[in-house]
Amino acid sequence: MKCGQRVWWDYFVIIFAASLLALSYHIFIFPNEFAPAGIPGIATIVQHLFGFKVGYMTIIVNIPLVLIVFRLIDHAYALRSAVFAATLSLALLLLDYVDLSQFIYHTANGTSTILAPIAGGVISGFCYGIVMRRNSSTGGTDLVAAIYHHYYPERNLLWVIFAINAVVAGMSYFVFDFKIEPVILCLLYCFLSSKVSDTMLKGFKEAVKFEIVTDRPEALSKALMDSLGHGVTELPAVGGFTHSNKTLLICVVNKHQIVQFQRIIQQYPGSFAYLSSVKETLGNFRREKVKK
């Protein structure tokens, strides 16, 4: 994809994610009276108390944050975040005039209320993940965290986000008729949103990394490359007990190739191997054709 086409595609995805998030607010969050994560959660509480719509509150809060990020940190990041925030606010306001009654999830007796933050949290995490992968943010808390990191790069941003979410969860108890259920729903929403977005950011290209200590590097490397179709990196090593020269082989393979790898390593007695999980592979990790 060409650079220009990629930019337009990124903005399309950002607009789609913001619209989807706004739709999930109207279907799952507003009808069930609980606050989501971050600054939108505070805006939801304000709407519940004073009737001031989340759409207006979201754009008012994000305008100064976007301007600060644009000036201090990154122009492209600020512009894309502004597009997301503007789309989210506009979609929230426009959906007030759309009849969504047949789609709204709400139960009169509350027996299935817990499904609302589950669905909303998954959608929020999905939107957050695809937006972050395009050098953007969902605005609000993310922009606050970016500004905080600019001035205090040595400090952990997780505490900033945790503090904001904790305030939202704590306020939910007092705002929603002194009930503990909205607090639990808020925490569940935050947890699922975080887990899904984390999975989206890390990717789905999981693999396995083997590190092998051997004194037969050439033969073992050839066997691995011929059988598995992935490259092998060789590093010099020294045995701790014998102080003899060894070679450390590093090989990243697909998860389904673990058993095949074990069969190969068994053919080289004296070699030692251990594996670790790889969350995502980047760059040239295609499987080459195995030699017949």
Side-chain angles (χ1 to χ4, degrees), residues 47-261:
Q47 176 177 274
H48 180 80
L49 290 175
F50 307 107
F52 190 72
K53 294 185 177 181
V54 174
Y56 293 126
M57 183 77 173
T58 300
I59 198 64
I60 290 173
V61 170
N62 277 291
I63 286 175
L65 293 176
V66 167
L67 292 176
I68 294 173
V69 171
F70 184 87
R71 179 177 176 83
L72 296 179
I73 302 173
D74 186 276
H75 291 181
Y77 180 78
L79 288 174
R80 295 183 183 212
S81 300
V83 170
F84 183 95
T87 303
L88 176 63
S89 298
L90 181 61
L92 285 170
L93 295 172
L94 291 177
L95 287 173
D96 286 335
Y97 303 97
V98 178
D99 182 13
L100 298 173
S101 56
Q102 61 179 329
F103 303 106
I104 288 177
Y105 180 84
H106 178 65
T107 53
N109 57 11
T111 53
S112 301
T113 306
I114 195 172
L115 296 180
I118 291 177
V122 170
I123 293 174
S124 173
F126 169 76
C127 294
Y128 182 89
I130 62 175
V131 166
M132 287 293 291
R133 291 178 72 92
R134 284 160 175 81
N135 189 32
S136 180
S137 75
T138 56
T141 307
D142 295 332
L143 297 179
V144 172
I147 296 169
Y148 181 86
H149 180 69
H150 177 77
Y151 287 104
Y152 305 100
E154 74 283 358
R155 298 184 183 178
N156 195 337
L157 293 178
L158 293 178
W159 287 107
V160 178
I161 298 174
F162 173 80
I164 295 175
N165 291 338
V167 169
V168 174
M171 291 174 61
S172 298
Y173 175 78
F174 301 97
V175 172
F176 297 103
D177 300 326
F178 298 94
K179 296 178 181 178
I180 195 64
E181 185 181 47
V183 178
I184 297 174
L185 298 181
C186 176
L187 294 175
L188 180 60
Y189 180 96
C190 294
F191 174 78
L192 289 173
S193 178
S194 175
K195 293 297 292 184
V196 173
S197 62
D198 185 60
T199 301
M200 292 292 297
L201 291 172
K202 289 181 178 178
F204 299 95
K205 300 177 184 177
E206 292 189 359
V208 177
K209 179 179 72 171
F210 282 97
E211 295 185 357
I212 313 129
V213 178
T214 182
D215 53 5
R216 301 176 61 188
E218 294 184 2
L220 182 51
S221 294
K222 186 176 186 303
L224 291 171
M225 289 187 288
D226 289 347
S227 299
L228 304 180
H230 290 291
V232 178
T233 301
E234 299 183 9
L235 298 175
V238 178
F241 286 108
T242 62
H243 298 287
S244 58
N245 293 328
K246 302 283 186 178
T247 299
L248 175 66
L249 303 180
I250 302 175
C251 184
V252 179
V253 302
N254 300 100
K255 294 178 68 175
H256 67 271
Q257 295 178 301
I258 294 178
V259 174
Q260 192 176 359
F261 177 90

